[in-house]
Amino acid sequence: MDNYDNSYFSPSYLQEIWVGSPYYAQLTTNNSKYVSTSINFRLDYNYHTGKHLFGAMAGYGADRSRSTGGTNMYQGFPNDDNLDNVGSAQSVLMYSDYVAKSGLDSVYGRLSYDYDSRYLLEVSMRADASSKFGPGNQWGVFPAVSTGWVINREAFMEKASWIDNLKMRLSWGQTGSTNVSDFSFRQFYTSSQYGESSSVKLQDLLPNRGIHWEKTNEVNFGLDFSFFGDRLYGSLDAYYRYTDGALAPAPHILESGMSNYYDNIIDMSNRGVEVSLGGYPVRGKDFAWNTDLNISVNRNRIESLNNAQINSYMQDAFIVGKPAGTVKGYIVDHIVQNMDEVNELNAKAVEKGFAEYQSGIGVGDFLMKDTDGNGTITSDDRQVIATPEPKFFGGWTNTFTYKNLSLSFLMQFSCGGEAVYSNLGEEISGVLGQSVGRELYGNTWTPERTDAKYARLVAGTMSYNYMANDRFVFDTSYLRMKNITLSYSLPKAWINKLYLSNASLFVTATNLFTITQWPGLDPETVATGITSMGTNNDPYPLSRSFSLGVKLQF
């Protein structure tokens, strides 16, 4: 359960500063309450006979959530210092109240079989009913089957004593998602107030009676291994995942007056390989070195839009044949050095029936490429300029232990992703008072700096300089020292005297350094939403922290 209460009082003298004349004090109150309940019943049964182990499980679950809240605004208070509560207000400017409910019912079961810890089989099924979908579409059924073969337990592997574990896995299964607003299949009403009269109006959501579960099929092949007394261990996984009818905001009839509509319109695939490798290069009596490395190579692809035209603010991020989250923009040919070439291009554009080649262009501005060859620059000339999907990413952990002293560190890395550094478009837009960051500062065109990478800074320019283009794109690859910890475990004799089971001292540093070519504050904070994951605005700087502590176990 979560409760939230907030009030904001704006005194009359502050209102006067904002409005420019004496005004009433105002008080705004907000409150919300979210309650989530969950109940589960589960029954397990196992039967073992000889080398055979049978297992069965069945269960039922119910999840309910209820969200309530409201916002009220009051005006006019006799005193700004003390009489600033709701009871002292002269009038109510605005009030609102809401209640939202949702639920999920689940029935699930599993059958498993194990023969001699060598051959493993598991079949499962679950069915879920969501209140987000209408009658006939509420239930989703999701089967799964997995097999395992412990190869090192076979007779032909008896002589391979150096193999501790060698297991092959193969699985297939379905999962579902309800990633839409509650009751997207039904039309609701909301209150509305006009002057002193109140009425009701339709909610800003066009209902879709056919909306249903988003389903994903996945096939996974895996291999787990351990050799030489666990000196070397790891796993390998290869998977293919296909989502049929992913839920997304969809195009709809504009005459409906609604701005929101959801449908199952996107088919996409994901495939990849994930490798984890670890071991003990050194494992002696007093000194040991343990290392673990994991690398993931994942590829995403939009397979089909099912003949739907994606909303304009989403269409660049969902391009059939490309990864989700791609960014389209203009290709910069060069920076204009004189108006002669612009006049020549304008003349050719006029011959083809256009007013000009590129609007608002002058000396020092970006000259964009006419990629469609029609003789003028339009939005159709934009191309895919950034793909946020990295070639690979992962982490590397090392732990060095000498007697009671231990040093460990974790490094994260990502290679090959791209993103538009959105700050550059804002800084070069020509708005007076806008800050200029270190990437742009001293690197814009001037008559004395004609070889600059970026266009000129001009207040109020109407050119294309600020629009997304390939010169705003940077590699998001990085190597980061995420964590490093030095610890010392107290000797057993000391621990026993203190009546403890374990005790240690430690010092930790996080985000110690990052190696990257990204011009902003943090390459890892590329936006996570699909429609913006290929862009990056500088967030609050990633903090570097140091801590010293004592860990005790009684």
Side-chain angles (χ1 to χ4, degrees):
M1 181 173 69
D2 293 321
N3 286 299
Y4 173 80
D5 289 284
N6 175 66
S7 63
Y8 177 79
F9 181 75
S10 179
S12 57
Y13 59 82
L14 187 58
Q15 291 289 322
E16 184 176 352
I17 294 174
W18 286 346
V19 180
S21 61
Y23 203 70
Y24 294 107
Q26 292 183 358
L27 173 67
T28 303
T29 63
N30 298 278
N31 69 88
S32 65
K33 183 178 181 180
Y34 178 80
V35 178
S36 177
T37 58
S38 178
I39 184 172
N40 282 274
F41 299 96
R42 173 172 163 169
L43 178 65
D44 290 272
Y45 175 76
N46 293 307
Y47 176 71
H48 194 186
T49 175
K51 295 182 178 181
H52 305 276
L53 176 61
F54 298 91
M57 181 272 290
Y60 168 78
D63 298 281
R64 298 291 183 270
S65 65
R66 176 185 170 90
S67 180
T68 60
T71 300
N72 302 310
M73 183 179 292
Y74 308 91
Q75 178 178 273
F77 295 85
N79 186 289
D80 285 339
D81 298 322
N82 299 309
L83 299 176
D84 55 2
N85 53 56
V86 173
S88 301
Q90 296 177 3
S91 59
V92 179
L93 287 181
M94 184 270 291
Y95 55 88
S96 66
D97 186 46
Y98 70 89
V99 177
K101 302 177 183 179
S102 64
L104 182 73
D105 289 336
S106 304
V107 180
Y108 48 89
R110 182 180 67 224
L111 297 174
S112 61
Y113 173 68
D114 180 338
Y115 176 75
D116 195 26
S117 298
R118 277 189 290 167
Y119 309 117
L120 312 173
L121 176 64
E122 186 173 279
V123 179
S124 65
M125 177 81 74
R126 70 174 295 138
D128 301 284
S130 173
S131 63
K132 292 188 176 184
F133 306 124
N137 294 318
Q138 287 187 336
W139 283 96
V141 180
F142 310 102
V145 59
S146 62
T147 61
W149 178 26
V150 185
I151 304 173
N152 62 292
R153 291 186 61 86
E154 295 289 353
F156 61 81
M157 296 291 291
E158 289 181 354
K159 294 183 179 180
S161 58
W162 54 277
I163 299 179
D164 305 310
N165 179 48
L166 185 61
K167 179 181 178 182
M168 188 186 307
R169 296 175 279 106
L170 181 63
S171 63
W172 168 85
Q174 282 187 344
T175 57
S177 174
T178 60
N179 187 30
V180 291
S181 300
D182 293 331
F183 301 101
S184 297
F185 68 95
R186 177 174 293 177
Q187 184 71 70
F188 288 96
Y189 293 89
T190 60
S191 63
S192 179
Q193 185 172 354
Y194 299 93
E196 297 181 355
S197 302
S198 62
S199 62
V200 294
K201 65 178 182 179
L202 296 175
Q203 67 169 348
D204 190 19
L205 174 68
L206 184 64
N208 180 1
R209 293 183 178 274
I211 196 169
H212 57 268
W213 281 86
E214 169 187 313
K215 287 190 175 183
T216 298
N217 289 271
E218 180 173 345
V219 178
N220 182 279
F221 171 79
L223 185 67
D224 301 322
F225 57 86
S226 175
F227 308 135
F228 310 112
D230 285 335
R231 290 290 293 269
L232 177 64
Y233 54 84
S235 64
L236 169 67
D237 282 273
Y239 72 91
Y240 177 78
R241 184 183 304 135
Y242 192 93
T243 300
D244 182 16
L247 294 164
H252 58 284
I253 301 174
L254 297 179
E255 287 79 5
S256 68
M258 309 299 172
S259 59
N260 295 302
Y261 179 74
Y262 295 94
D263 203 357
N264 303 84
I265 59 174
I266 301 175
D267 294 347
M268 68 172 62
S269 65
N270 288 272
R271 57 181 62 83
V273 177
E274 298 177 351
V275 179
S276 176
L277 187 64
Y280 287 85
V282 180
R283 188 167 62 185
K285 179 181 179 181
D286 294 329
F287 178 75
W289 170 25
N290 174 234
T291 182
D292 289 277
L293 175 68
N294 65 82
I295 299 177
S296 298
V297 179
N298 300 320
R299 296 292 178 265
N300 171 268
R301 176 186 169 95
I302 302 297
E303 300 291 348
S304 173
L305 297 179
N306 295 303
N307 297 317
Q309 297 296 320
I310 299 296
N311 287 357
S312 58
Y313 72 94
M314 295 177 59
Q315 60 188 4
D316 288 352
F318 294 93
I319 303 174
V320 175
K322 298 290 185 180
T326 54
V327 180
K328 292 183 71 174
Y330 295 95
I331 307 298
V332 176
D333 189 276
H334 59 276
I335 294 178
V336 176
Q337 302 297 332
N338 60 74
M339 286 300 295
D340 292 340
E341 62 174 327
V342 175
N343 294 334
E344 183 179 347
L345 289 170
N346 286 340
K348 293 180 179 179
V350 170
E351 291 177 359
K352 295 183 178 182
F354 301 105
E356 56 189 346
Y357 176 79
Q358 179 178 317
S359 63
I361 191 171
V363 175
D365 291 333
F366 286 137
L367 182 70
M368 304 304 181
K369 284 187 178 181
D370 178 20
T371 58
D372 62 4
N374 69 344
T376 187
I377 299 299
T378 66
S379 60
D380 294 334
D381 291 303
R382 296 176 306 132
Q383 303 292 313
V384 174
I385 59 174
T387 302
E389 186 176 73
K391 294 179 179 178
F392 62 88
F393 61 93
W396 185 32
T397 303
N398 286 272
T399 302
F400 301 91
T401 304
Y402 177 72
K403 294 185 177 180
N404 292 356
L405 194 64
S406 176
L407 174 66
S408 65
F409 65 84
L410 167 63
M411 302 193 76
Q412 292 180 338
F413 57 86
S414 178
C415 179
E418 299 172 322
V420 172
Y421 186 36
S422 304
N423 283 41
L424 294 177
E426 298 172 2
E427 294 169 10
I428 208 171
S429 61
V431 178
L432 291 176
Q434 173 68 49
S435 299
V436 175
R438 60 184 178 182
E439 171 65 22
L440 201 63
Y441 180 76
N443 205 11
T444 57
W445 187 93
T446 67
E448 298 76 30
R449 192 167 53 230
T450 57
D451 60 346
K453 179 180 179 180
Y454 301 108
R456 59 177 177 164
L457 292 175
V458 180
T461 179
M462 299 300 293
S463 70
Y464 280 61
N465 294 342
Y466 68 94
M467 296 184 179
N469 63 73
D470 59 337
R471 294 205 178 181
F472 294 168
V473 175
F474 293 86
D475 193 335
T476 57
S477 302
Y478 70 90
L479 174 64
R480 168 170 293 152
M481 178 63 77
K482 186 65 177 179
N483 178 279
I484 182 168
T485 300
L486 178 65
S487 63
Y488 176 75
S489 297
L490 298 183
K492 288 292 183 182
W494 295 11
I495 294 174
N496 293 335
K497 290 181 180 180
L498 296 172
Y499 301 101
L500 299 172
S501 60
N502 193 14
S504 61
L505 307 174
F506 67 88
V507 58
T508 299
T510 59
N511 302 318
L512 204 57
F513 64 83
T514 301
I515 301 173
T516 183
Q517 295 297 316
W518 178 258
L521 295 178
D522 185 8
E524 195 178 11
T525 55
V526 173
T528 55
I530 291 180
T531 57
S532 58
M533 62 190 299
T535 60
N536 183 303
N537 286 87
D538 276 338
Y540 191 80
L542 189 67
S543 61
R544 183 183 296 118
S545 63
F546 301 89
S547 58
L548 177 67
V550 179
K551 183 178 180 180
L552 302 176
Q553 284 184 290
F554 296 92

